[in-house]
Amino acid sequence: MSEHTEAMLAYWDKNLICRYANKATADWFGITPDQMINKSHLSDILGTLFDVQLPHINGALAGKIQVFDQVIHLYSGKAKNVRVTYHPDYINGDVKGFYAHMADISPLNSKSADDETRIEELPEFVTQNDQLLENVAKTLNENLFTGFPSISALSKKHFVSESKLKRDFKQSFGRTIFSYYRYLQMEIADRYIREKRCNKNQMAVMLNFSNPSNFSACYHKYLEEKSAIQETEQSQKENISHYKTLIEEAPITIAMFNSQMQFIAASKSWITEYNLQNTNFIDKSVYEILPSTKKKCEKLHLHCLKGNIYQCDGLLLKKNNGIRCWLKWNIYPWFTPSGEVGGLCVHTEDISKIKAIEKENERAAKLLKKADTISKIGTWTRDMLTHTTQWDKVIQNIFELPDHFIPNMKAVWKFVKEGKNRVIVKKALRNSLKYGNPFDIEVEVITAGGNLKRIRIIGYPELQNNKCKKLSGILFDITPV
């Protein structure tokens, strides 16, 4: 199964030499498993991230599970927010290495319990590859009157392979590099012919065409495309008018923006939510009307204006009235009749009350941990995203397990006495995961030492988008003395 997942999975021995890597490694770091296994040191793969992750690496080699989030730059140049899990591998009580698991996560899902007043930073969406292509376009502009620089020259100037340059440029700009260059030339030619009264022969010489007829053909093609664009723009105006009516009458908090992030329309709920009743906001930038969004959302908007959809389960922002609130975001592009991105539609939902409940749950969890030191009640968690289980030493002692034992659901399941006890546990877990129900059950277990005990397990699910993302609770020994 590890070969069919998008997550990276690898195994490193205690000398940090790779002993296993799945196929996804090539997509993440640009190196195949055959090139890694029994050859690569972890520092060769992580590069500059090695020193950053070294405390976690040492922690894993010391026998402790390491789970942390980090932004990494893939081989493709794109930035990705990942959750990294290092799981120690014990053999006869000694750590012989660790498993490394890297999975793509939502950039806003990993917040600490003390994040109530901090406005979370959004990930860096403007990648190195984006900047490279902008620099290539700038070079083309600089050479409009001197002749087209060859693909080879552009490749060497910007330190990128010719094949990658051609592929990425067309994907980003919708044209080949030469076609883009010619279009820029024709835009200049059209202005000179209309405004400066230049003739086509003059423009052919000015733009370095060796054959005037070739220029005429290019210019004629440009005019046909320009005419088609103007027709499309008229159709787009009609399309926007339709969109605008829908947005203004929508019963939800939603606004529509053009590609410069200027307001086109907003629902009544949006106007009320952001206190815009007495504000002339139409045709004005959202960054002018809602200044707090510029720092936190501008890069995200640029990302979505490239055709991407973004969903966020919680972002802390300040409204115009100065009140901070948690907002759930849905940002998606709207398209012109020609298929181009015309702008964005932004739908928000105030989830401050839900966040307050989550905060109370966090405080309750802290109280449970404090109860551990007072009454010897064990605490446990099961993360459904990373599929990892953690518990404290109290539970370790109840099950009579050695200190180096790593919590494992399959192993724990074997402790539960067969028969009705397993039925009770299975039913409680199913209802909790499927319906979000808490549970409080009593079952019999057989410890690692072979002793029969009766335990009480209390569990509370943590939900996200109506799905259980984590189970946590307490466990204590109620065996009659």
Side-chain angles (χ1 to χ4, degrees):
M1 290 295 289
S2 66
E3 294 300 334
H4 301 285
T5 178
E6 294 181 356
M8 194 217 76
L9 181 65
Y11 179 88
W12 305 88
D13 66 18
K14 62 183 180 181
N15 296 317
L16 302 184
I17 301 299
C18 180
R19 300 304 181 189
Y20 168 79
N22 67 349
K23 292 180 181 178
T25 307
D27 296 328
W28 285 66
F29 295 105
I31 181 171
T32 64
D34 290 340
Q35 294 171 317
M36 287 178 60
I37 297 173
N38 299 324
K39 300 173 185 177
S40 296
H41 190 273
L42 184 53
S43 61
D44 297 330
I45 304 301
L46 294 179
T48 56
L49 290 178
F50 180 74
D51 291 336
V52 178
Q53 292 193 13
L54 191 56
H56 297 291
I57 295 169
N58 291 334
L61 292 176
K64 297 180 181 179
I65 297 175
Q66 305 291 309
V67 181
F68 57 98
D69 297 341
Q70 191 168 61
V71 176
I72 68 171
H73 289 274
L74 304 186
Y75 175 68
S76 64
K78 292 185 177 180
K80 186 183 287 288
N81 289 267
V82 300
R83 175 155 294 161
V84 184
T85 303
Y86 288 159
H87 199 296
D89 178 35
Y90 283 92
I91 299 178
N92 297 326
D94 296 323
V95 177
K96 298 299 182 181
F98 62 91
Y99 293 94
H101 179 268
M102 291 188 182
D104 191 10
I105 62 169
S106 169
L108 300 177
N109 276 351
S110 54
K111 293 182 275 288
S112 69
D114 297 323
D115 258 357
E116 185 177 14
T117 60
R118 181 175 66 85
I119 298 179
E120 185 157 355
E121 293 184 1
L122 291 168
E124 178 63 74
F125 282 114
V126 180
T127 67
Q128 296 174 355
N129 199 49
D130 294 327
Q131 187 61 56
L132 181 147
L133 295 176
E134 291 294 338
N135 290 339
V136 171
K138 182 179 179 182
T139 300
L140 294 175
N141 270 284
E142 293 170 350
N143 287 269
L144 292 178
F145 295 96
T146 59
F148 177 70
S150 66
I151 300 294
S152 175
L154 289 169
S155 171
K156 292 178 181 178
K157 178 179 176 65
H158 297 284
F159 304 102
V160 61
S161 70
E162 292 183 25
S163 59
K164 178 175 174 56
L165 174 59
K166 290 189 290 186
R167 180 183 69 248
D168 291 358
F169 192 94
K170 186 173 183 179
Q171 183 177 358
S172 181
F173 290 90
R175 299 174 182 269
T176 65
I177 298 175
F178 185 74
S179 175
Y180 180 84
Y181 175 80
R182 273 287 186 255
Y183 192 85
L184 293 179
Q185 285 188 314
M186 292 305 105
E187 282 187 320
I188 290 177
D190 190 45
R191 288 181 57 193
Y192 271 84
I193 290 172
R194 287 185 296 104
E195 299 174 12
K196 304 293 184 181
R197 303 298 180 182
C198 293
N199 60 43
K200 294 180 182 178
N201 286 337
Q202 290 173 320
M203 291 312 306
V205 173
M206 187 182 301
L207 294 175
N208 232 7
F209 277 76
S210 58
N211 187 343
S213 62
N214 185 25
F215 170 83
S216 296
C218 290
Y219 184 58
H220 179 70
K221 182 180 179 181
Y222 165 81
L223 291 178
E224 288 183 337
E225 185 175 347
K226 182 180 177 181
S227 176
I229 290 174
Q230 289 173 341
E231 291 179 5
T232 300
E233 287 176 347
Q234 179 59 35
S235 176
Q236 179 179 327
K237 289 180 181 178
E238 297 172 0
N239 202 38
I240 289 176
S241 178
H242 176 66
Y243 275 131
K244 184 177 179 181
T245 301
L246 292 176
I247 294 293
E248 289 175 342
E249 298 301 322
I252 58 177
T253 307
I254 188 170
M256 181 181 181
F257 303 89
N258 62 19
S259 57
Q260 283 75 49
M261 291 309 296
Q262 296 167 327
F263 279 94
I264 294 177
S267 67
K268 295 177 182 178
S269 177
W270 179 288
I271 294 172
T272 302
E273 185 73 28
Y274 294 97
N275 196 28
L276 303 180
Q277 293 89 337
N278 300 316
T279 305
N280 184 18
F281 60 90
I282 298 298
D283 295 329
K284 292 185 178 178
S285 170
V286 66
Y287 310 127
E288 176 186 349
I289 302 300
L290 301 171
S292 65
T293 63
K294 183 174 179 62
K295 182 178 179 181
K296 298 301 173 185
C297 302
E298 186 175 18
K299 291 175 182 177
L300 175 58
H301 292 156
L302 290 173
H303 174 69
C304 293
L305 284 169
K306 293 181 180 180
N308 300 297
I309 294 173
Y310 183 77
Q311 294 178 316
C312 165
D313 291 326
L315 178 65
L316 187 61
L317 285 178
K318 184 185 292 184
K319 295 183 180 180
N320 277 2
N321 57 12
I323 297 176
R324 289 182 174 183
C325 65
W326 285 99
L327 295 177
K328 182 178 180 180
W329 288 67
N330 288 298
I331 305 176
Y332 48 92
W334 59 268
F335 296 88
T336 66
S338 62
E340 300 293 323
V341 175
L344 300 179
C345 287
V346 181
H347 166 232
T348 67
E349 179 183 352
D350 193 330
I351 56 170
S352 299
K353 292 182 180 179
I354 296 175
K355 286 294 181 180
I357 294 173
E358 290 179 356
K359 190 66 179 178
E360 288 301 317
N361 289 339
E362 290 172 0
R363 290 187 181 126
K366 287 183 178 181
L367 290 175
L368 287 175
K369 288 187 177 181
K370 193 172 288 186
D372 168 27
T373 60
I374 299 173
S375 58
K376 297 300 180 183
I377 298 175
T379 60
W380 57 271
T381 60
R382 171 67 178 175
D383 193 317
M384 310 310 295
L385 298 178
T386 61
H387 303 292
T388 56
T389 302
Q390 294 184 345
W391 62 39
D392 57 20
K393 288 187 177 181
V394 176
I395 297 179
Q396 202 94 340
N397 293 334
I398 291 174
F399 284 105
E400 299 178 351
L401 293 165
D403 291 340
H404 61 76
F405 180 82
I406 302 299
N408 180 286
M409 287 302 293
K410 290 184 179 180
V412 172
W413 184 251
K414 293 179 181 179
F415 294 138
V416 180
K417 191 176 179 181
E418 294 183 1
K420 64 178 183 179
N421 294 283
R422 293 192 178 184
V423 173
I424 292 171
V425 175
K426 186 180 293 185
K427 181 179 179 181
L429 290 175
R430 183 177 63 250
N431 289 337
S432 190
L433 294 174
K434 189 173 182 179
Y435 304 111
N437 297 334
F439 58 85
D440 185 345
I441 58 175
E442 295 181 11
V443 293
E444 291 182 331
V445 297
I446 306 296
T447 69
N451 296 310
L452 177 65
K453 289 187 177 182
R454 188 167 186 82
I455 61 172
R456 183 179 178 186
I457 311 173
I458 300 175
Y460 302 93
E462 295 182 27
L463 303 180
Q464 181 177 317
N465 293 332
N466 296 322
K467 291 184 179 180
C468 180
K469 67 174 182 177
K470 183 184 290 185
L471 284 172
S472 59
I474 59 177
L475 181 151
F476 50 96
D477 188 352
I478 58 173
T479 305
V481 179

